[in-house]
Amino acid sequence: MYSLRYLSARQLVQNEKALCKMVKSLPVGLYYILFKVAFRGKKSMLLQELAKNWPYPQLKVQMLLQTCHQCARTSSKKCSDCQWTLPYTDMSKNNFDDIIMGVISYIKEIINDGLKTLPSRRLQQLDMTGLFCKNFLWNLKLMRLWASSIRRAKICALQQKISDSENQERSQGPETSTSSEELRVDFLVDLEVSPKTEFLMEALRDNSNSLLRLTCRDFYAFKLSVRDAAKFLVPLDPLVLRRVDLSNSQMRLMDIGWFMSQIAIFQNMKSLKFPEFNDYVKWWQEPNLKAQFDIFVTESKKLSRLTEIAFQSICLSDHLEYLLGDLPYALESLELSYCCLTSKDLTYLARSQHSTHLIKLNLSSNKISQIEPFLELLKAASHSLVWLNVALCEITDTMFYVAVPFLHSCSKLSYVGLYGNHMTSPSVFVFLRLYQHKLPHLKAVSIPIFLDCCTNLPEFSPFPSSLEFYINTDKFNSVLKELEELPREEQKSLIDYTLNCNFPLIDYFDL
């Protein structure tokens, strides 16, 4: 059910022209609800007027469109207002264009009126983050909107006008004009760069001096070499960026030190994800590669707020401590899939400063040959761990039975990945039967193809890495149904069971 306030606002915006004339005299408390209604109703004129006269320092579009304050504080079922889905259509693209043009109209108004308007209100940031769920095509459209808006508004020409005005006033007497810094509005986005975003380089060339300055919260590189991706980082505000995600880009081991030296200026960066190297060379034995990793270790110390690091498909055998041991801060998220980790690496991690702070831990596709270091790590992380992935780690029933009490001690655990391990269904039932009391927050488990649900398995050992060809579908579905019925005894919400190595890829910032 929509609220009475929302329905009243929807009726009010029917007379769009009349309402646009009243915007400046409206109570500021109405702006939020009117913005939401205008966006959904595709009221172009009203959207521009609301953005132009926005009475707060920040205009956060995602919050206005998709979240109410009550639902933001609870994990319960969202209200009908928040269940509305942002439409990815050309019409909604026009809505975003209207918002941007409204902000540019605000800048023009301030330029013309100067200090007459500025003290009463000052829009400082147009926040467009979180809108498109990293959807590449929509990110591209949003960037084109920003670049074209700068051209249409002739920002550079406006800035020259301000500069000329300031110079003239300085020659005549005390400075009374509004400075460019006071006029500027930051356009905050989650930016994904690719070979198709080369047009951004021209628009970013004078970004630091622009009145509609692009700032980036989360930076993603898509099908670019890291050297090309780094060119887009240079014009960005180093104090705003919180994430650099290279997981879909291309990078050589020889570039790892160079790249770290390029991003060391981003002092507020919290998350750094590297791409799949697919290079299992023992780099510590090659002087040139070792020198690059020495640079990585040195430069990583400068990122004092870094709390997430992700490596994929790189040989770290016995060298995890070398990479992370001198960090002056504790990591909360660590992804080390396909990294040839050893018992020595797990022992270091269990005894490091990071273990007691870990919220998210991905050890998938690393063979856990000795269970003791892994148990020590679980014990150390038991008060903080929420997301754990040990898929394809060659865990057996015997090992898992020993680990169950340690998993139960991780009381905040919500996501557990067990896919690809050679286990039987009874061992997983042992883990899950007590989850309501031991793991009250458990939401999702990726389960393996159980050995007892397979037929015609080869008699030789070890088992095949993939068991899909041996699965007895009827038996497996029967076990899955039994698993799904476990929570019903206490009328708890159901656990989501998946048969996937990459089970719910929950963002570290959402944990």
Side-chain angles (χ1 to χ4, degrees):
M1 294 292 291
Y2 289 119
S3 66
L4 180 60
R5 189 183 185 194
Y6 180 88
L7 293 173
S8 299
R10 191 162 64 179
Q11 186 66 30
L12 187 61
V13 302
Q14 296 304 311
N15 193 342
E16 185 180 10
K17 290 184 178 179
L19 188 57
C20 285
K21 296 177 181 179
M22 300 167 51
V23 164
K24 289 186 178 180
S25 60
L26 291 174
V28 296
L30 290 178
Y31 273 69
Y32 288 110
I33 191 69
L34 287 175
F35 186 95
K36 185 178 295 188
V37 173
F39 189 96
R40 299 184 186 187
K42 301 178 177 61
K43 304 294 183 180
S44 178
M45 291 174 54
L46 182 57
L47 273 177
Q48 290 196 37
E49 282 299 310
L50 289 170
K52 177 182 176 182
N53 295 281
W54 196 252
Y56 303 102
Q58 184 186 57
L59 174 49
K60 186 173 176 61
V61 178
Q62 188 269 347
M63 182 187 73
L64 289 172
L65 297 183
Q66 294 181 306
T67 308
C68 71
H69 294 293
Q70 181 178 357
C71 289
R73 295 193 301 266
T74 177
S75 59
S76 61
K77 186 177 180 180
K78 301 297 182 183
C79 66
S80 58
D81 202 20
C82 288
Q83 289 173 350
W84 178 77
T85 302
L86 185 66
Y88 302 125
T89 65
D90 285 338
M91 288 302 294
S92 60
K93 177 180 74 67
N94 294 336
N95 284 345
F96 294 119
D97 199 13
D98 292 332
I99 296 168
I100 295 172
M101 292 310 299
V103 172
I104 290 176
S105 297
Y106 158 75
I107 294 173
K108 289 180 178 179
E109 183 181 88
I110 296 295
I111 290 172
N112 294 330
D113 295 346
L115 293 175
K116 296 178 182 179
T117 309
L118 188 62
S120 61
R121 61 179 181 84
R122 181 192 168 197
L123 180 63
Q124 299 172 332
Q125 184 186 81
L126 173 60
D127 186 344
M128 289 281 197
T129 61
L131 286 170
F132 305 122
C133 302
K134 305 175 197 174
N135 182 292
F136 170 69
L137 293 178
W138 267 91
N139 171 79
L140 188 62
K141 290 181 179 179
L142 185 60
M143 291 303 97
R144 290 192 185 280
L145 280 178
W146 173 75
S148 63
S149 295
I150 284 194
R151 289 194 296 270
R152 283 179 302 182
K154 298 180 180 178
I155 294 294
C156 293
L158 292 174
Q159 289 173 317
Q160 185 61 48
K161 177 182 177 181
I162 296 168
S163 178
D164 293 342
S165 175
E166 289 176 346
N167 291 336
Q168 181 180 0
E169 290 188 16
R170 288 193 188 99
S171 63
Q172 294 176 355
E175 181 179 340
T176 58
S177 66
T178 304
S179 69
S180 298
E181 183 69 25
E182 290 175 305
L183 293 173
R184 186 172 66 200
V185 176
D186 287 337
F187 184 56
L188 182 63
V189 298
D190 294 331
L191 178 62
E192 184 172 76
V193 297
S194 75
K196 294 185 178 181
T197 56
E198 288 295 331
F199 68 90
L200 274 179
M201 289 308 302
E202 181 181 353
L204 284 169
R205 190 163 291 131
D206 196 39
N207 188 53
S208 60
N209 298 317
S210 175
L211 294 184
L212 186 61
R213 182 181 67 158
L214 185 81
T215 55
C216 178
R217 182 186 68 167
D218 294 344
F219 179 89
Y220 303 88
F222 183 75
K223 294 186 178 180
L224 275 182
S225 72
V226 292
R227 290 186 178 268
D228 288 334
K231 296 176 184 177
F232 290 95
L233 287 167
V234 173
L236 301 178
D237 189 329
L239 298 180
V240 178
L241 192 72
R242 73 170 185 177
R243 186 207 310 263
V244 172
D245 188 336
L246 305 174
S247 54
N248 291 310
S249 62
Q250 299 129 25
M251 186 176 189
R252 301 178 307 155
L253 282 179
M254 277 299 296
D255 288 330
I256 195 167
W258 174 85
F259 186 77
M260 284 300 294
S261 67
Q262 301 301 300
I263 63 173
I265 62 170
F266 296 101
Q267 294 297 302
N268 288 327
M269 188 168 65
K270 295 182 178 181
S271 174
L272 175 59
K273 293 189 174 185
F274 287 98
E276 290 187 33
F277 288 100
N278 291 319
D279 193 341
Y280 294 97
V281 63
K282 295 182 178 179
W283 45 264
W284 54 90
Q285 295 178 353
E286 300 187 17
N288 290 338
L289 285 177
K290 176 61 164 58
Q292 286 296 311
F293 278 86
D294 288 341
I295 297 173
F296 170 88
V297 171
T298 300
E299 296 297 326
S300 62
K301 296 176 187 177
K302 300 177 182 178
L303 299 173
S304 58
R305 298 197 176 185
L306 194 66
T307 52
E308 178 177 50
I309 293 180
F311 282 105
Q312 301 180 65
S313 302
I314 181 176
C315 184
L316 298 180
S317 180
D318 289 343
H319 284 76
L320 186 60
E321 183 175 5
Y322 163 75
L323 285 187
L324 308 180
D326 291 332
L327 294 180
Y329 43 83
L331 296 174
E332 295 181 355
S333 176
L334 187 56
E335 298 191 43
L336 300 168
S337 57
Y338 292 94
C339 286
C340 305
L341 298 182
T342 64
S343 295
K344 179 181 177 181
D345 293 318
L346 294 183
T347 299
Y348 153 71
L349 190 56
R351 299 174 184 178
S352 70
Q353 61 174 330
H354 312 296
S355 61
T356 55
H357 294 83
L358 285 173
I359 297 173
K360 183 176 182 180
L361 179 61
N362 186 353
L363 299 176
S364 62
S365 301
N366 291 284
K367 182 179 179 180
I368 298 179
S369 56
Q370 298 179 19
I371 193 64
E372 290 79 11
F374 177 59
L375 300 181
E376 186 178 356
L377 177 56
L378 288 178
K379 183 177 180 180
S382 60
H383 296 296
S384 59
L385 196 60
V386 175
W387 192 97
L388 172 67
N389 192 1
V390 287
L392 298 165
C393 286
E394 300 188 25
I395 297 174
T396 64
D397 278 343
T398 303
M399 298 167 67
F400 191 69
Y401 280 124
V402 177
V404 165
F406 292 85
L407 289 168
H408 283 167
S409 70
C410 300
S411 58
K412 296 181 179 179
L413 203 57
S414 299
Y415 305 90
V416 182
L418 301 173
Y419 175 82
N421 292 299
H422 294 154
M423 300 159 51
T424 60
S425 58
S427 62
V428 176
F429 274 106
V430 168
F431 169 60
L432 290 174
R433 280 199 174 98
L434 295 177
Y435 89 89
Q436 297 160 335
H437 307 290
K438 302 289 186 177
L439 302 174
H441 304 290
L442 195 60
K443 298 177 181 178
V445 178
S446 78
I447 56 177
I449 295 177
F450 302 117
L451 295 180
D452 53 314
C453 295
C454 294
T455 57
N456 300 319
L457 277 173
E459 297 180 359
F460 57 84
S461 181
F463 291 112
S465 58
S466 176
L467 298 178
E468 279 81 0
F469 295 108
Y470 303 95
I471 188 171
N472 182 320
T473 304
D474 292 338
K475 190 169 184 179
F476 183 84
N477 288 337
S478 176
V479 171
L480 183 59
K481 182 178 180 181
E482 191 175 350
L483 284 172
E484 291 173 343
E485 290 176 348
L486 281 175
R488 299 180 184 178
E489 299 172 4
E490 304 259 344
Q491 299 299 314
K492 299 284 184 179
S493 59
L494 296 175
I495 296 176
D496 179 22
Y497 296 104
T498 63
L499 196 63
N500 196 316
C501 181
N502 297 315
F503 76 115
L505 295 175
I506 307 300
D507 193 302
Y508 156 64
F509 292 108
D510 293 334
L511 291 172

Short mmCIF file of all heavy atoms in Angstrom, two decimals, residues 204-246:
data_model
loop_
_atom_site.label_atom_id
_atom_site.label_comp_id
_atom_site.label_asym_id
_atom_site.label_seq_id
_atom_site.Cartn_x
_atom_site.Cartn_y
_atom_site.Cartn_z
N LEU A 204 37.18 14.65 -19.29
CA LEU A 204 37.88 14.63 -18.00
C LEU A 204 39.14 15.49 -17.98
O LEU A 204 39.74 15.68 -16.93
CB LEU A 204 38.26 13.19 -17.64
CG LEU A 204 37.14 12.29 -17.14
CD1 LEU A 204 37.61 10.84 -17.10
CD2 LEU A 204 36.66 12.72 -15.77
N ARG A 205 39.53 15.99 -19.15
CA ARG A 205 40.81 16.66 -19.26
C ARG A 205 40.92 17.84 -18.28
O ARG A 205 41.97 18.07 -17.69
CB ARG A 205 41.03 17.13 -20.70
CG ARG A 205 42.44 17.64 -20.97
CD ARG A 205 42.71 17.68 -22.46
NE ARG A 205 42.79 16.32 -23.01
CZ ARG A 205 42.15 15.92 -24.09
NH1 ARG A 205 41.36 16.76 -24.74
NH2 ARG A 205 42.29 14.68 -24.53
N ASP A 206 39.86 18.60 -18.14
CA ASP A 206 39.86 19.74 -17.22
C ASP A 206 38.91 19.49 -16.05
O ASP A 206 38.29 20.40 -15.52
CB ASP A 206 39.47 21.02 -17.97
CG ASP A 206 39.83 22.28 -17.19
OD1 ASP A 206 40.90 22.29 -16.55
OD2 ASP A 206 39.02 23.22 -17.18
N ASN A 207 38.83 18.20 -15.65
CA ASN A 207 37.83 17.81 -14.65
C ASN A 207 38.01 18.54 -13.32
O ASN A 207 37.03 18.94 -12.68
CB ASN A 207 37.90 16.30 -14.43
CG ASN A 207 36.78 15.79 -13.55
OD1 ASN A 207 35.61 16.04 -13.79
ND2 ASN A 207 37.14 15.07 -12.50
N SER A 208 39.24 18.73 -12.89
CA SER A 208 39.48 19.34 -11.58
C SER A 208 38.98 20.77 -11.51
O SER A 208 38.68 21.29 -10.43
CB SER A 208 40.97 19.29 -11.23
OG SER A 208 41.72 19.99 -12.19
N ASN A 209 38.87 21.45 -12.65
CA ASN A 209 38.42 22.83 -12.68
C ASN A 209 36.97 22.98 -13.13
O ASN A 209 36.47 24.10 -13.24
CB ASN A 209 39.32 23.66 -13.61
CG ASN A 209 40.76 23.68 -13.14
OD1 ASN A 209 41.02 23.84 -11.95
ND2 ASN A 209 41.69 23.51 -14.06
N SER A 210 36.33 21.88 -13.43
CA SER A 210 34.98 21.93 -13.96
C SER A 210 33.96 22.30 -12.89
O SER A 210 34.10 21.91 -11.72
CB SER A 210 34.61 20.58 -14.57
OG SER A 210 33.27 20.58 -15.00
N LEU A 211 32.95 23.04 -13.29
CA LEU A 211 31.88 23.39 -12.35
C LEU A 211 30.94 22.21 -12.10
O LEU A 211 30.24 22.18 -11.10
CB LEU A 211 31.08 24.58 -12.88
CG LEU A 211 31.84 25.89 -12.97
CD1 LEU A 211 30.92 27.00 -13.42
CD2 LEU A 211 32.47 26.24 -11.63
N LEU A 212 30.88 21.27 -13.02
CA LEU A 212 30.17 20.00 -12.80
C LEU A 212 31.24 18.93 -12.84
O LEU A 212 31.50 18.31 -13.87
CB LEU A 212 29.11 19.76 -13.87
CG LEU A 212 28.21 18.54 -13.66
CD1 LEU A 212 27.43 18.65 -12.36
CD2 LEU A 212 27.26 18.36 -14.83
N ARG A 213 31.88 18.72 -11.72
CA ARG A 213 33.07 17.87 -11.67
C ARG A 213 32.70 16.42 -11.42
O ARG A 213 31.99 16.09 -10.47
CB ARG A 213 34.01 18.35 -10.55
CG ARG A 213 35.30 17.56 -10.46
CD ARG A 213 36.17 18.06 -9.33
NE ARG A 213 35.58 17.79 -8.03
CZ ARG A 213 36.27 17.73 -6.89
NH1 ARG A 213 37.57 17.94 -6.91
NH2 ARG A 213 35.66 17.49 -5.75
N LEU A 214 33.21 15.53 -12.29
CA LEU A 214 32.97 14.09 -12.11
C LEU A 214 33.84 13.57 -10.97
O LEU A 214 35.06 13.72 -10.99
CB LEU A 214 33.31 13.34 -13.39
CG LEU A 214 32.98 11.84 -13.36
CD1 LEU A 214 31.50 11.63 -13.64
CD2 LEU A 214 33.80 11.07 -14.38
N THR A 215 33.21 12.98 -9.99
CA THR A 215 33.93 12.29 -8.93
C THR A 215 33.48 10.83 -8.91
O THR A 215 32.35 10.52 -9.28
CB THR A 215 33.70 12.93 -7.55
OG1 THR A 215 32.29 12.98 -7.29
CG2 THR A 215 34.27 14.33 -7.49
N CYS A 216 34.35 9.96 -8.49
CA CYS A 216 34.09 8.53 -8.61
C CYS A 216 34.18 7.86 -7.24
O CYS A 216 35.17 8.04 -6.52
CB CYS A 216 35.10 7.91 -9.58
SG CYS A 216 34.93 6.12 -9.77
N ARG A 217 33.16 7.06 -6.91
CA ARG A 217 33.16 6.29 -5.67
C ARG A 217 33.79 4.92 -5.91
O ARG A 217 34.75 4.53 -5.26
CB ARG A 217 31.73 6.13 -5.14
CG ARG A 217 31.64 5.37 -3.83
CD ARG A 217 30.21 5.12 -3.41
NE ARG A 217 29.54 4.18 -4.30
CZ ARG A 217 28.37 3.59 -4.01
NH1 ARG A 217 27.76 3.87 -2.86
NH2 ARG A 217 27.80 2.75 -4.85
N ASP A 218 33.24 4.17 -6.88
CA ASP A 218 33.74 2.83 -7.21
C ASP A 218 34.18 2.82 -8.66
O ASP A 218 33.41 3.18 -9.56
CB ASP A 218 32.66 1.77 -6.99
CG ASP A 218 32.27 1.63 -5.52
OD1 ASP A 218 33.02 2.13 -4.66
OD2 ASP A 218 31.21 1.04 -5.24
N PHE A 219 35.41 2.38 -8.91
CA PHE A 219 36.00 2.39 -10.25
C PHE A 219 36.17 0.96 -10.74
O PHE A 219 36.81 0.13 -10.08
CB PHE A 219 37.36 3.09 -10.20
CG PHE A 219 38.09 3.15 -11.51
CD1 PHE A 219 37.88 4.21 -12.38
CD2 PHE A 219 38.98 2.15 -11.88
CE1 PHE A 219 38.55 4.28 -13.60
CE2 PHE A 219 39.66 2.20 -13.09
CZ PHE A 219 39.44 3.27 -13.95
N TYR A 220 35.59 0.65 -11.92
CA TYR A 220 35.69 -0.68 -12.52
C TYR A 220 36.33 -0.56 -13.90
O TYR A 220 36.00 0.35 -14.67
CB TYR A 220 34.30 -1.30 -12.68
CG TYR A 220 33.51 -1.42 -11.40
CD1 TYR A 220 32.70 -0.38 -10.96
CD2 TYR A 220 33.58 -2.58 -10.62
CE1 TYR A 220 31.98 -0.48 -9.78
CE2 TYR A 220 32.85 -2.69 -9.45
CZ TYR A 220 32.06 -1.64 -9.02
OH TYR A 220 31.35 -1.75 -7.86
N ALA A 221 37.23 -1.47 -14.21
CA ALA A 221 37.83 -1.53 -15.54
C ALA A 221 37.32 -2.76 -16.25
O ALA A 221 37.32 -3.85 -15.69
CB ALA A 221 39.35 -1.56 -15.44
N PHE A 222 36.87 -2.59 -17.49
CA PHE A 222 36.25 -3.67 -18.24
C PHE A 222 36.98 -3.84 -19.57
O PHE A 222 36.98 -2.96 -20.43
CB PHE A 222 34.77 -3.34 -18.48
CG PHE A 222 34.00 -4.40 -19.20
CD1 PHE A 222 33.62 -5.56 -18.54
CD2 PHE A 222 33.65 -4.25 -20.54
CE1 PHE A 222 32.90 -6.55 -19.20
CE2 PHE A 222 32.93 -5.23 -21.20
CZ PHE A 222 32.55 -6.38 -20.53
N LYS A 223 37.65 -4.99 -19.71
CA LYS A 223 38.37 -5.33 -20.94
C LYS A 223 39.39 -4.27 -21.33
O LYS A 223 39.55 -3.93 -22.51
CB LYS A 223 37.37 -5.57 -22.09
CG LYS A 223 36.50 -6.81 -21.88
CD LYS A 223 35.64 -7.09 -23.09
CE LYS A 223 34.82 -8.38 -22.88
NZ LYS A 223 33.96 -8.68 -24.05
N LEU A 224 40.06 -3.74 -20.34
CA LEU A 224 41.13 -2.77 -20.57
C LEU A 224 42.41 -3.27 -19.91
O LEU A 224 42.36 -3.95 -18.89
CB LEU A 224 40.78 -1.41 -19.97
CG LEU A 224 39.94 -0.43 -20.77
CD1 LEU A 224 39.77 0.86 -19.98
CD2 LEU A 224 40.56 -0.13 -22.13
N SER A 225 43.54 -2.92 -20.48
CA SER A 225 44.79 -3.16 -19.77
C SER A 225 44.87 -2.19 -18.61
O SER A 225 44.27 -1.10 -18.65
CB SER A 225 45.98 -2.95 -20.71
OG SER A 225 46.15 -1.57 -20.99
N VAL A 226 45.59 -2.55 -17.57
CA VAL A 226 45.66 -1.67 -16.40
C VAL A 226 46.34 -0.36 -16.73
O VAL A 226 46.04 0.67 -16.11
CB VAL A 226 46.37 -2.36 -15.22
CG1 VAL A 226 45.55 -3.51 -14.70
CG2 VAL A 226 47.77 -2.82 -15.62
N ARG A 227 47.22 -0.34 -17.69
CA ARG A 227 47.87 0.91 -18.07
C ARG A 227 46.88 1.86 -18.74
O ARG A 227 46.94 3.08 -18.53
CB ARG A 227 49.08 0.64 -18.97
CG ARG A 227 50.23 -0.02 -18.21
CD ARG A 227 51.48 -0.16 -19.04
NE ARG A 227 52.55 -0.76 -18.26
CZ ARG A 227 53.44 -0.06 -17.57
NH1 ARG A 227 53.41 1.26 -17.58
NH2 ARG A 227 54.38 -0.68 -16.87
N ASP A 228 45.95 1.32 -19.52
CA ASP A 228 44.90 2.16 -20.10
C ASP A 228 43.89 2.59 -19.04
O ASP A 228 43.39 3.72 -19.05
CB ASP A 228 44.19 1.42 -21.23
CG ASP A 228 45.06 1.28 -22.47
OD1 ASP A 228 45.96 2.13 -22.66
OD2 ASP A 228 44.88 0.31 -23.24
N ALA A 229 43.57 1.68 -18.14
CA ALA A 229 42.62 2.01 -17.07
C ALA A 229 43.17 3.11 -16.17
O ALA A 229 42.43 3.99 -15.70
CB ALA A 229 42.31 0.77 -16.25
N ALA A 230 44.48 3.08 -15.92
CA ALA A 230 45.09 4.07 -15.03
C ALA A 230 44.95 5.49 -15.57
O ALA A 230 44.92 6.46 -14.79
CB ALA A 230 46.56 3.73 -14.82
N LYS A 231 44.84 5.65 -16.89
CA LYS A 231 44.69 6.99 -17.47
C LYS A 231 43.40 7.65 -17.01
O LYS A 231 43.33 8.88 -16.88
CB LYS A 231 44.71 6.89 -19.00
CG LYS A 231 46.02 6.38 -19.58
CD LYS A 231 45.92 6.22 -21.09
CE LYS A 231 47.19 5.62 -21.68
NZ LYS A 231 47.07 5.40 -23.15
N PHE A 232 42.37 6.84 -16.78
CA PHE A 232 41.10 7.39 -16.32
C PHE A 232 41.15 7.75 -14.83
O PHE A 232 40.33 8.55 -14.36
CB PHE A 232 39.97 6.38 -16.56
CG PHE A 232 39.62 6.18 -18.00
CD1 PHE A 232 40.18 5.15 -18.73
CD2 PHE A 232 38.72 7.02 -18.64
CE1 PHE A 232 39.87 4.95 -20.06
CE2 PHE A 232 38.40 6.83 -19.98
CZ PHE A 232 38.97 5.80 -20.69
N LEU A 233 42.05 7.15 -14.10
CA LEU A 233 42.15 7.44 -12.67
C LEU A 233 42.81 8.78 -12.38
O LEU A 233 42.51 9.43 -11.38
CB LEU A 233 42.95 6.33 -11.97
CG LEU A 233 42.24 4.98 -11.79
CD1 LEU A 233 43.23 3.90 -11.40
CD2 LEU A 233 41.13 5.09 -10.75
N VAL A 234 43.69 9.19 -13.26
CA VAL A 234 44.48 10.40 -13.02
C VAL A 234 43.61 11.63 -12.76
O VAL A 234 43.88 12.39 -11.81
CB VAL A 234 45.45 10.65 -14.20
CG1 VAL A 234 46.15 12.00 -14.04
CG2 VAL A 234 46.47 9.53 -14.29
N PRO A 235 42.54 11.90 -13.54
CA PRO A 235 41.77 13.14 -13.31
C PRO A 235 40.80 13.07 -12.14
O PRO A 235 40.12 14.06 -11.86
CB PRO A 235 40.99 13.31 -14.63
CG PRO A 235 41.51 12.28 -15.56
CD PRO A 235 42.05 11.18 -14.73
N LEU A 236 40.69 11.94 -11.47
CA LEU A 236 39.68 11.77 -10.41
C LEU A 236 40.18 12.30 -9.08
O LEU A 236 41.38 12.30 -8.80
CB LEU A 236 39.29 10.30 -10.29
CG LEU A 236 38.71 9.65 -11.55
CD1 LEU A 236 38.41 8.17 -11.30
CD2 LEU A 236 37.46 10.37 -12.02
N ASP A 237 39.23 12.71 -8.25
CA ASP A 237 39.57 13.22 -6.92
C ASP A 237 40.11 12.07 -6.06
O ASP A 237 39.40 11.10 -5.80
CB ASP A 237 38.32 13.81 -6.26
CG ASP A 237 38.62 14.56 -4.97
OD1 ASP A 237 39.59 14.17 -4.27
OD2 ASP A 237 37.91 15.52 -4.66
N PRO A 238 41.35 12.17 -5.59
CA PRO A 238 41.94 11.06 -4.84
C PRO A 238 41.32 10.83 -3.47
O PRO A 238 41.53 9.79 -2.86
CB PRO A 238 43.41 11.47 -4.71
CG PRO A 238 43.41 12.95 -4.83
CD PRO A 238 42.30 13.27 -5.79
N LEU A 239 40.55 11.79 -2.98
CA LEU A 239 39.96 11.65 -1.64
C LEU A 239 38.58 11.00 -1.67
O LEU A 239 38.04 10.67 -0.62
CB LEU A 239 39.87 13.02 -0.95
CG LEU A 239 41.20 13.73 -0.72
CD1 LEU A 239 40.98 15.06 -0.03
CD2 LEU A 239 42.15 12.86 0.10
N VAL A 240 38.00 10.85 -2.86
CA VAL A 240 36.63 10.32 -2.97
C VAL A 240 36.62 8.84 -3.28
O VAL A 240 35.78 8.09 -2.78
CB VAL A 240 35.85 11.10 -4.05
CG1 VAL A 240 34.44 10.52 -4.21
CG2 VAL A 240 35.78 12.58 -3.69
N LEU A 241 37.56 8.37 -4.08
CA LEU A 241 37.56 6.98 -4.54
C LEU A 241 37.68 6.00 -3.37
O LEU A 241 38.56 6.13 -2.53
CB LEU A 241 38.72 6.76 -5.50
CG LEU A 241 38.71 5.45 -6.29
CD1 LEU A 241 37.62 5.50 -7.36
CD2 LEU A 241 40.06 5.20 -6.94
N ARG A 242 36.80 5.00 -3.33
CA ARG A 242 36.85 3.99 -2.27
C ARG A 242 37.17 2.59 -2.80
O ARG A 242 37.52 1.70 -2.03
CB ARG A 242 35.55 3.94 -1.49
CG ARG A 242 34.39 3.30 -2.24
CD ARG A 242 33.18 3.04 -1.37
NE ARG A 242 32.16 2.31 -2.14
CZ ARG A 242 31.01 1.88 -1.63
NH1 ARG A 242 30.72 2.12 -0.35
NH2 ARG A 242 30.14 1.23 -2.38
N ARG A 243 37.01 2.37 -4.13
CA ARG A 243 37.21 1.04 -4.67
C ARG A 243 37.84 1.10 -6.07
O ARG A 243 37.47 1.93 -6.89
CB ARG A 243 35.87 0.31 -4.79
CG ARG A 243 36.01 -1.16 -5.21
CD ARG A 243 34.79 -1.70 -5.94
NE ARG A 243 33.53 -1.47 -5.27
CZ ARG A 243 32.89 -2.35 -4.50
NH1 ARG A 243 33.40 -3.54 -4.26
NH2 ARG A 243 31.74 -2.04 -3.97
N VAL A 244 38.80 0.21 -6.30
CA VAL A 244 39.34 -0.02 -7.65
C VAL A 244 39.19 -1.51 -7.92
O VAL A 244 39.80 -2.33 -7.24
CB VAL A 244 40.82 0.40 -7.77
CG1 VAL A 244 41.38 -0.04 -9.12
CG2 VAL A 244 40.95 1.91 -7.62
N ASP A 245 38.36 -1.85 -8.89
CA ASP A 245 38.07 -3.24 -9.22
C ASP A 245 38.58 -3.54 -10.62
O ASP A 245 38.03 -3.08 -11.62
CB ASP A 245 36.56 -3.49 -9.14
CG ASP A 245 36.19 -4.96 -9.27
OD1 ASP A 245 36.99 -5.72 -9.87
OD2 ASP A 245 35.12 -5.35 -8.80
N LEU A 246 39.65 -4.34 -10.70
CA LEU A 246 40.26 -4.71 -11.97
C LEU A 246 39.93 -6.14 -12.37
O LEU A 246 40.56 -6.70 -13.26
CB LEU A 246 41.78 -4.56 -11.88
CG LEU A 246 42.32 -3.22 -11.43
CD1 LEU A 246 43.83 -3.28 -11.25
CD2 LEU A 246 41.96 -2.12 -12.42
#
